[in-house]
Amino acid sequence: MRTLREFADRGSVTAAAQALHCTPSAVSQQLRALQAEVGVAITEPAGRGLRLTDAGHALVARGDEVLAALDRAESELDTYRSAPRGRVRMAIFQSAGLMLLPGLLSRIARHAGLDVDVRDVDMIPPQVPGLLADYDVVVAHRDEHAAEFGSERLDVVPLLREPLDVALPSEHRLARRRRVGLADLADERWISVDHGFPVDDVLRSLTVRTGVRPQIVQRINDFRITERLVAAGHGIALMPRYTMDTRRGSGLVARPLAGIRAARLVEAVCRTGALSRPAVATVIDEMRGEVTALTAPR
């Protein structure tokens, strides 16, 4: 069943073999054996490769339930230990890593026997389910008006609603205002992110709702670069509130948008059943604790 799930998630025998650290022929044999056991075709030819049949897709869904049950059984054994143990593989997008990782790793260090293996991944929302083939937890973001990550094969834990503010040079004509409207910024040059990333999704949705189309002159995914460009007067940007560096001397000020709710949602996404593992649950609990500490009024 694990071989079938890897094949379903990765789309090819070769990719599944790489994930399982075996040969493609071994994967093919496992799939043929499973097909013989269930007595119905679960794969069919597709060009030079294979694809799942309708019966195969149904079996994958049931297989997830079986594997989730095995995870729960493993979890019950873990409860006999004094603390969660093991390695949790986590993917996190860059600005969330900048915001959360220093404190999170300090929190995890207090749990003996628990390790987190982190990779920063420049992800867009449609890529998130596929990343779970390689990671136990994916920390993802999306426009709050976008479709949810929800699926029968996924568990989603909300972490943070992060407002998006307008980043302005400290000497900007609007820097002294408490809030700014999109109409006030109609003639400004904007620095956004690549198409498909949540901040750009928010800018596009604001265009639809207000009729004001931003003039985007640069697309930069690294917010630290964007901060420098804004401070130097090369444009303005829509940026996450808790990630932006507006300390004295940064050359930046952040101003909320007037009359408009603009935010990204930061969420931890796992395969169904993964939260029953104490190690995974502890990592997510500590992440929520770090979010609370970062967003508490000062």
Side-chain angles (χ1 to χ4, degrees):
M1 293 304 297
R2 292 192 187 278
T3 300
L4 178 65
R5 184 169 73 176
E6 290 294 342
F7 173 76
D9 287 343
R10 297 173 188 278
S12 75
V13 169
T14 300
Q18 290 174 345
L20 294 167
H21 305 292
C22 63
T23 65
S25 61
V27 170
S28 297
Q29 289 172 10
Q30 291 260 1
L31 293 176
R32 285 196 297 270
L34 180 59
Q35 184 165 280
E37 185 174 343
V38 299
V40 64
I42 59 174
T43 63
E44 60 187 8
R48 296 182 178 180
L50 295 175
R51 66 186 175 195
L52 290 174
T53 62
D54 289 342
H57 283 291
L59 186 58
V60 168
R62 295 306 179 194
D64 282 338
E65 295 174 6
V66 171
L67 294 173
L70 290 174
D71 284 338
R72 287 193 294 271
E74 182 181 348
S75 172
E76 290 177 8
L77 293 176
D78 284 340
T79 60
Y80 289 97
R81 302 185 179 126
S82 60
R85 297 179 180 275
R87 180 171 66 102
V88 175
R89 301 165 301 165
M90 184 169 74
I92 190 168
F93 64 96
Q94 286 87 340
S95 57
L98 188 67
M99 175 174 54
L100 298 176
L101 274 184
L104 174 63
L105 294 181
S106 295
R107 290 169 179 267
I108 296 300
R110 299 197 292 261
H111 296 272
L114 177 60
D115 295 307
V116 181
D117 182 359
V118 186
R119 296 291 183 273
D120 65 308
V121 178
D122 206 12
M123 67 185 80
I124 59 176
Q127 294 171 333
V128 170
L131 288 171
L132 289 168
D134 293 312
Y135 298 98
D136 302 303
V137 180
V138 175
V139 180
H141 55 160
R142 61 181 176 90
D143 176 359
E144 67 177 343
H145 300 291
E148 299 179 358
F149 291 120
S151 160
E152 292 181 357
R153 302 185 65 200
L154 303 179
D155 286 329
V156 180
V157 179
L159 296 175
L160 172 68
R161 178 187 182 273
E162 186 172 17
L164 297 175
D165 295 333
V166 180
L168 303 167
S170 56
E171 301 301 322
H172 194 277
R173 60 186 174 84
L174 300 173
R176 294 183 179 276
R177 292 195 185 181
R178 295 183 60 186
R179 294 176 177 271
V180 294
L182 276 183
D184 299 322
L185 303 169
D187 297 326
E188 297 288 338
R189 292 155 58 89
W190 287 80
I191 300 169
S192 188
V193 295
D194 280 342
H195 297 287
F197 286 82
V199 172
D200 193 58
D201 289 344
V202 172
L203 268 181
R204 287 191 295 105
S205 66
L206 291 178
T207 299
V208 172
R209 290 153 59 192
T210 66
V212 178
R213 182 179 297 277
Q215 178 190 356
I216 298 174
V217 295
Q218 305 290 346
R219 291 187 179 274
I220 306 291
N221 282 0
D222 188 326
F223 285 136
R224 284 294 173 256
I225 297 175
T226 299
E227 287 176 359
R228 296 291 184 91
L229 294 178
V230 172
H234 295 296
I236 65 173
L238 199 61
M239 293 187 62
R241 179 175 297 174
Y242 304 118
T243 307
M244 198 182 335
D245 182 5
T246 55
R247 293 173 295 182
R248 184 181 298 275
S250 69
L252 290 180
V253 295
R255 294 293 180 261
L257 283 166
I260 298 174
R261 286 171 56 88
R264 67 176 180 181
L265 301 182
V266 180
E267 298 168 319
V269 186
C270 309
R271 278 177 169 169
T272 299
L275 286 171
S276 63
R277 287 179 52 199
V280 172
T282 298
V283 168
I284 291 179
D285 285 345
E286 292 290 16
M287 196 153 29
R288 296 176 74 179
E290 184 63 17
V291 167
T292 298
L294 286 171
T295 58
R298 291 179 172 83

